[in-house]
Amino acid sequence: MRGPAWPIAALLVGYPLWWALGAGGLAVIVLAGPMAVLLWRRRPVKVPPGFGLWVLLLAGYLVSATMLGESPPGTYGDLSPGRIIGYAMRLALYASVLIMVLYLGNLTERELPQLRLVRWLGVLFVTTVAGGLLGVLAPGFAFTSPLELLLPDWLSGNAFVQNLIHPTAAQTQKVLGHAMPRPEAPFEWANAWGSNLSVLLVWAVVGWWAHGGRRQRVFVTAVAAVAAVPVVYSLNRGLWIGLGLSALYLVARTGGRARVALCATAAGAALVLALSPLATLFTQRLDRPHSNDIRAFTVTATLAAATHSPVIGYGNTRNALGNHRTITTGRTGWCPDCGHPPLGSDGQLWLLIITQGFTGAALYVAFFAGAIRRHWADRSPVGLGGVLVMGLVLLYMFVYDGLVTPLILYLISFALLWRNAQRGAA
């Protein structure tokens, strides 16, 4: 594609290629370079409301690097290459998504029409549904990516890096008491798949239902219906809650025929689910709160560790001593489940608290909550969808990590709201 919007098209429409190459969400770091160059050439650069909060978040993360060598009580581990790699990748991502937001906000409507950007997100929604079906039908699908082959073993073997560069269709976990695959393609984790699907569904509806004709509406309805299969097989309670609250939000904020259509669609979907074989799987997941004890342990340990560095945190996650079942440190032959849960691994809020202290967490919440406050009165499809996504961000931060791809989609949604406000002012 020609024109200044090509980096965004390459990121969203070309995402399957990035995933196959092993870059996946890291593509935004690669594309931030040309976006920064193009931004520099079109100075002065406009900045969005709330820009200062993200800059402070970024600056605070730089300061938190001074604590990378420290380990709070209840944790263990020395400064290692893995800890530095994780810190550097998060820093690069925080900076890259900021450049991306500025780039999107400084493109004119002629250079990148708002509806085109929304429909590019819709294309990624279709890709996500296809990846979910792949995870259900061929859960063992995986391959060594070109990037994985190029990187040295000491780097590609890092657990955090391996999740990002090794494409897999599903993540196998014993959520129901036995090994079962949870779809994750084309993203880095099963929870990232769930978070991304719910956000992209919002934009698919805005682009092809609210701003589409009969064919587009039939298409997005059919894709959403197919998505129900991997949504249930994902065993992802956070996703289910997010979809339910999204429906309630739209019913509350729309009126007339739109509200009637939403209620009818929700009732029909619930009836079909109840009568389908998926209902059994859904019920089994609700009856087995597999991760509750794990989350309770890691959240409690994260808060306790963060009190020893409440302002700047520790720069990266830390390994807890023991887990929710035992004080044993490390897996053994008689205790295969005695691994070390990383503190901050159960939600973006907890990740920020351990890496950047309570200050970083407050800045993150203020950034997205401020977007809701500023754009609440925007009742256009983009305004309603964008505010909904900002609300999902604040919901998911308790249960999902924002890194890597979810944060990209959160910030693109933020940029859509900002662009909408600029159009309104114009």
Side-chain angles (χ1 to χ4, degrees), residues 270-287:
L271 179 62
V272 170
L273 175 63
L275 297 176
S276 73
L278 297 175
T280 302
L281 193 61
F282 183 83
T283 304
Q284 288 178 346
R285 178 65 179 102
L286 295 180
D287 289 340

Side-chain angles (χ1 to χ4, degrees), residues 244-337:
L245 292 178
S246 296
L248 291 175
Y249 165 87
L250 291 173
V251 168
R253 297 213 66 200
T254 56
R257 284 192 236 173
R259 178 177 292 178
V260 173
L262 281 167
C263 291
T265 301
L271 179 62
V272 170
L273 175 63
L275 297 176
S276 73
L278 297 175
T280 302
L281 193 61
F282 183 83
T283 304
Q284 288 178 346
R285 178 65 179 102
L286 295 180
D287 289 340
R288 288 180 177 268
H290 164 77
S291 59
N292 287 3
D293 292 340
I294 301 173
R295 289 183 181 276
F297 171 82
T298 55
V299 168
T300 301
T302 297
L303 293 173
T307 59
H308 297 277
S309 180
V311 178
I312 63 173
Y314 288 93
N316 203 343
T317 58
R318 293 293 187 275
N319 289 322
L321 289 169
N323 61 25
H324 67 293
R325 292 179 178 175
T326 174
I327 60 172
T328 303
T329 59
R331 293 180 177 87
T332 64
W334 58 271
C335 188
D337 296 323

Side-chain angles (χ1 to χ4, degrees), residues 31-326:
L31 294 168
M35 283 191 276
V37 172
L38 292 169
L39 266 177
W40 180 261
R41 290 176 179 174
R42 61 170 61 202
R43 293 165 298 171
V45 175
K46 296 178 292 185
V47 299
F51 173 77
L53 293 172
W54 200 267
V55 171
L56 287 175
L57 184 73
L58 191 58
Y61 200 42
L62 288 170
V63 175
S64 70
T66 60
M67 298 294 289
L68 282 172
E70 304 296 325
S71 291
T75 68
Y76 77 98
D78 299 322
L79 182 62
S80 64
R83 187 178 293 180
I84 297 173
I85 291 169
Y87 171 85
M89 293 184 73
R90 290 188 182 95
L91 178 62
L93 180 66
Y94 288 147
S96 297
V97 294
L98 178 60
I99 293 171
M100 180 187 69
V101 168
L102 293 176
Y103 188 72
L104 284 170
N106 281 271
L107 290 176
T108 65
E109 179 67 12
R110 183 177 178 181
E111 291 171 324
L112 178 57
Q114 190 84 319
L115 183 57
R116 182 181 299 169
L117 175 56
V118 171
R119 286 183 173 171
W120 283 347
L121 289 167
V123 171
L124 187 54
F125 170 68
V126 176
T127 301
T128 303
V129 174
L133 290 175
L134 178 65
V136 172
L137 300 175
F141 178 82
F143 60 92
T144 302
S145 70
L147 180 59
E148 191 175 358
L149 291 172
L150 291 173
L151 292 178
D153 292 341
W154 66 268
L155 181 56
S156 63
N158 178 272
F160 179 66
V161 176
Q162 181 69 191
N163 274 323
L164 299 178
I165 65 174
H166 185 69
T168 53
Q171 186 177 5
T172 301
Q173 295 178 338
K174 295 182 179 180
V175 176
L176 300 180
H178 55 85
M180 186 165 180
R182 301 176 62 203
E184 65 177 5
F187 304 114
E188 54 272 10
W189 291 283
N191 283 345
W193 185 91
S195 171
N196 293 345
L197 180 116
S198 63
V199 170
L200 292 168
L201 174 60
V202 172
W203 296 119
V205 170
V206 171
W208 288 325
W209 182 276
H211 288 292
R214 183 174 178 274
R215 289 184 178 180
Q216 288 90 346
R217 291 182 177 185
V218 170
F219 173 74
V220 74
T221 301
V223 176
V226 171
V229 175
V231 163
V232 174
Y233 271 90
S234 71
L235 305 177
N236 199 322
R237 291 174 301 169
L239 168 61
W240 300 345
I241 293 170
L243 292 176
L245 292 178
S246 296
L248 291 175
Y249 165 87
L250 291 173
V251 168
R253 297 213 66 200
T254 56
R257 284 192 236 173
R259 178 177 292 178
V260 173
L262 281 167
C263 291
T265 301
L271 179 62
V272 170
L273 175 63
L275 297 176
S276 73
L278 297 175
T280 302
L281 193 61
F282 183 83
T283 304
Q284 288 178 346
R285 178 65 179 102
L286 295 180
D287 289 340
R288 288 180 177 268
H290 164 77
S291 59
N292 287 3
D293 292 340
I294 301 173
R295 289 183 181 276
F297 171 82
T298 55
V299 168
T300 301
T302 297
L303 293 173
T307 59
H308 297 277
S309 180
V311 178
I312 63 173
Y314 288 93
N316 203 343
T317 58
R318 293 293 187 275
N319 289 322
L321 289 169
N323 61 25
H324 67 293
R325 292 179 178 175
T326 174

